[in-house]
Amino acid sequence: MSNHEDTPNEQDSYATMNQRVSDRAKKVVHTREMLSKQAVQTKEILSKQAIKLAKQAEEHERFINKVTHLLGVMGFGAFCFLMGSRPQDIPYVYSLFYVIFVPLRWIYYRFKKWHYYLLDFCYYANTIFLIMLLLYPKNEKLFMVCFSFAEGPLAWALIVWRCSLVFSSLDKIVSVLIHLLPGIVFLTIRWWDPATFEAMHPGGNAGRIASWPYVESKSYLWTWLFVVPLVAYTLWQVLYFLIVNVLRGQRLLRDPEVMTSYRELSKKAQKANNIWWRLSGLLGDQNRMFMYILFQALFTVATMALTVPIFLSYKLHVTFQILKVSATIWNGGSFLLEVMPKQVILKEKKKLEMQPIPIQPDQDATMVEKSTGNSHSAETDHS
């Protein structure tokens, strides 16, 4: 017998092994199919529940807006009172706000396919703020980096991107506070915190404004208010590009409903055909993303440079807070008087279009008579 010929026992063992492998492969395929079906069913159930909740919210939209307006005004008033009476507690209020509302916003944005907004620079910076306030509250260098973020790109975004303080909209309130609160927190820590005042002036000299940290060297000031924050911003920009445009690029191409900051801004700019749309197209449509990143980088450099005089001057710092709050209130008034009435009219038109036209019993009889008469006349003409 040749060495290359298999014995019957060996052939049986090979057949058994092949059968086992085949059975295992079938089990794996079946398990995957079952898991995928369960995942699809779970997703359908969740989407149905989300749609149901959204419809219920639309039905009670006016009542919800009234409640939101009431809580928003009272909460803002309470925050202003607390800011004057106990400024040392403002960082804890901000931390509580961030821990509660940002996860809720992620859930809402995930349903709306807006969750990539939470990768924007404002959330990256706010996360660093939270780490600094809770873990490293006395770190001077980290405080200055956070100060540059808060009173630089985040603060000027309120004005440039026309953020609106509308108390009847929870989403708009959170958007404003994400950009506004950090600057107020660092204002209270630097100038108003009683612990800071005692540390800087143990003799109780009330004639001077307390400030922390106290910086004399200009090179130290520019390093930690401009250079280091700019490096941290560059790190975020690289990570954002890799995550959104490289790792998740195909996902965004497959689903045009998924929104990012670039998509939203480009759509608005294209619709308005404003100067930003024309400038972003200087190098062609294929390079609009690059131009957007370039403009954002220039905006960040300019606003971070402005934080240096704000950091050094108490009067300028307070004036800047008033400017930010005034801009958001002004934009909120413009939204209520100009944008919201148009939205209400569009919603009412859609509701009327969706509602079926009611038919009265008399109309039903008339329509039946007309239909029978038409059919009779048609038969007569045909004959």
Side-chain angles (χ1 to χ4, degrees), residues 1-7 10:
M1 182 179 290
S2 173
N3 293 331
H4 297 285
E5 294 180 1
D6 296 333
T7 63
E10 290 176 345

mmCIF file of all heavy atoms in Angstrom, residues 1-7 10:
data_model
loop_
_atom_site.group_PDB
_atom_site.id
_atom_site.type_symbol
_atom_site.label_atom_id
_atom_site.label_comp_id
_atom_site.label_asym_id
_atom_site.label_seq_id
_atom_site.Cartn_x
_atom_site.Cartn_y
_atom_site.Cartn_z
ATOM 1 N N MET A 1 0.868 -1.196 0.000
ATOM 2 C CA MET A 1 0.000 0.000 0.000
ATOM 3 C C MET A 1 0.899 1.237 0.000
ATOM 4 O O MET A 1 1.859 1.317 0.746
ATOM 5 C CB MET A 1 -0.910 0.015 1.202
ATOM 6 C CG MET A 1 -1.853 1.204 1.219
ATOM 7 S SD MET A 1 -2.946 1.154 2.649
ATOM 8 C CE MET A 1 -3.969 -0.233 2.162
ATOM 9 N N SER A 2 0.519 2.261 -0.815
ATOM 10 C CA SER A 2 1.340 3.481 -0.894
ATOM 11 C C SER A 2 1.181 4.309 0.369
ATOM 12 O O SER A 2 0.141 4.301 1.029
ATOM 13 C CB SER A 2 0.929 4.299 -2.118
ATOM 14 O OG SER A 2 1.588 5.532 -2.106
ATOM 15 N N ASN A 3 2.248 5.041 0.684
ATOM 16 C CA ASN A 3 2.192 5.912 1.865
ATOM 17 C C ASN A 3 1.195 7.047 1.687
ATOM 18 O O ASN A 3 0.752 7.649 2.655
ATOM 19 C CB ASN A 3 3.577 6.477 2.161
ATOM 20 C CG ASN A 3 4.542 5.390 2.589
ATOM 21 O OD1 ASN A 3 4.112 4.387 3.171
ATOM 22 N ND2 ASN A 3 5.824 5.580 2.298
ATOM 23 N N HIS A 4 0.911 7.370 0.389
ATOM 24 C CA HIS A 4 0.010 8.502 0.121
ATOM 25 C C HIS A 4 -1.452 8.115 0.207
ATOM 26 O O HIS A 4 -2.333 8.963 0.125
ATOM 27 C CB HIS A 4 0.291 9.079 -1.274
ATOM 28 C CG HIS A 4 1.684 9.640 -1.398
ATOM 29 N ND1 HIS A 4 2.048 10.828 -0.841
ATOM 30 C CD2 HIS A 4 2.791 9.125 -1.997
ATOM 31 C CE1 HIS A 4 3.337 11.066 -1.103
ATOM 32 N NE2 HIS A 4 3.817 10.029 -1.808
ATOM 33 N N GLU A 5 -1.716 6.814 0.321
ATOM 34 C CA GLU A 5 -3.108 6.376 0.396
ATOM 35 C C GLU A 5 -3.554 6.368 1.856
ATOM 36 O O GLU A 5 -2.831 5.897 2.729
ATOM 37 C CB GLU A 5 -3.252 4.977 -0.193
ATOM 38 C CG GLU A 5 -2.977 4.927 -1.704
ATOM 39 C CD GLU A 5 -3.123 3.530 -2.253
ATOM 40 O OE1 GLU A 5 -3.458 2.634 -1.439
ATOM 41 O OE2 GLU A 5 -2.922 3.331 -3.456
ATOM 42 N N ASP A 6 -4.752 6.894 2.113
ATOM 43 C CA ASP A 6 -5.277 6.968 3.477
ATOM 44 C C ASP A 6 -6.042 5.701 3.807
ATOM 45 O O ASP A 6 -6.735 5.118 2.964
ATOM 46 C CB ASP A 6 -6.220 8.177 3.626
ATOM 47 C CG ASP A 6 -5.460 9.467 3.427
ATOM 48 O OD1 ASP A 6 -4.247 9.476 3.694
ATOM 49 O OD2 ASP A 6 -6.094 10.452 2.989
ATOM 50 N N THR A 7 -5.925 5.299 5.010
ATOM 51 C CA THR A 7 -6.686 4.161 5.505
ATOM 52 C C THR A 7 -8.139 4.574 5.728
ATOM 53 O O THR A 7 -8.456 5.772 5.843
ATOM 54 C CB THR A 7 -6.085 3.669 6.829
ATOM 55 O OG1 THR A 7 -6.198 4.718 7.789
ATOM 56 C CG2 THR A 7 -4.621 3.289 6.649
ATOM 57 N N GLU A 10 -8.599 6.730 8.827
ATOM 58 C CA GLU A 10 -8.165 8.117 8.646
ATOM 59 C C GLU A 10 -9.186 8.913 7.847
ATOM 60 O O GLU A 10 -9.465 10.083 8.139
ATOM 61 C CB GLU A 10 -6.809 8.143 7.947
ATOM 62 C CG GLU A 10 -5.663 7.639 8.813
ATOM 63 C CD GLU A 10 -4.354 7.602 8.046
ATOM 64 O OE1 GLU A 10 -4.414 7.693 6.804
ATOM 65 O OE2 GLU A 10 -3.300 7.491 8.697
#
